[in-house]
């Protein structure tokens, strides 16, 4: 039984990490979100291997299902924040492209003077 309890403790750790990742996403702290996600993936692999070896029985299945539901809700929130950030970055890229195009359109042409052929020497 103690080994099955350790599987549940691993799921609880995943939940805590998901909560931290959601908070980083809410704050727009993308660096810490990525770092925490890396730790989360390592822990997830550990949980997967542990669960394969030990399994989960009885009441622990219900507890695991509850933890997984909470984790998935947080994952959905994180995904929503990431999609909003992606859209924001897309808009910033579009603005930057337009500024570059405007700069090119209104940049004065350089006159070709003596010895200037526009090529490399």
């Amino acid at each position: 039984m103690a080994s099955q309890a350790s599987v549940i403790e691993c799921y609880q750790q995943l939940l805590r990490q998901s909560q931290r990742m959601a908070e980083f996403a809410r704050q727009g702290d993308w660096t810490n979100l990525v770092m925490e996600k890396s730790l989360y993936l390592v822990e997830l692999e550990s949980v997967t291997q542990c669960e394969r070896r030990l399994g989960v029985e009885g009441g622990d299945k219900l507890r695991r299902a509850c933890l997984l539901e909470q984790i998935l809700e947080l994952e959905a929130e994180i995904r929503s924040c990431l999609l909003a950030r992606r859209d924001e970055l897309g808009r910033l890229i579009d603005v930057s492209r337009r500024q570059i195009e405007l700069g090119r359109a209104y940049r004065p042409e350089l006159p070709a003077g003596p010895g200037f052929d526009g090529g490399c020497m």
Side-chain angles (χ1 to χ4, degrees):
M1 282 294 197
S3 61
Q4 290 178 7
S6 66
V7 172
I8 295 302
E9 174 55 37
C10 289
Y11 276 103
Q12 291 170 335
Q13 175 62 23
L14 285 176
L15 177 59
R16 288 188 293 273
Q17 287 176 298
S18 293
Q19 291 166 336
R20 284 191 298 272
M21 288 187 305
E23 186 58 34
F24 290 139
R26 285 183 213 113
Q27 295 172 359
D29 187 348
W30 311 116
T31 301
N32 281 323
L33 174 62
V34 169
M35 289 180 3
E36 190 68 34
K37 183 68 173 187
S38 296
L39 297 172
Y40 176 88
L41 292 173
V42 170
E43 183 69 22
L44 182 60
E45 181 60 30
S46 173
V47 170
T48 302
Q49 291 176 6
C50 187
E51 193 170 26
R52 281 188 196 136
R53 280 192 325 270
L54 304 173
V56 178
E57 297 177 359
D60 287 339
K61 285 185 178 182
L62 183 58
R63 179 67 181 138
R64 180 187 63 174
C66 181
L67 291 166
L68 282 172
E69 183 177 340
Q70 292 175 59
I71 291 168
L72 290 173
E73 287 172 4
L74 290 165
E75 287 287 329
E77 181 183 351
I78 293 165
R79 180 175 172 77
S80 176
C81 290
L82 288 171
L83 290 172
R85 177 64 174 162
R86 181 200 63 190
D87 293 345
E88 177 188 359
L89 291 173
R91 285 188 297 275
L92 290 172
I93 289 169
D94 287 342
V95 166
S96 179
R97 284 183 185 148
R98 277 186 250 130
Q99 288 175 340
I100 290 170
E101 290 170 5
L102 283 173
R104 286 182 184 150
Y106 290 103
R107 183 179 20 223
E109 291 291 321
L110 294 175
F116 181 77
D117 63 3
C120 296
M121 295 187 150

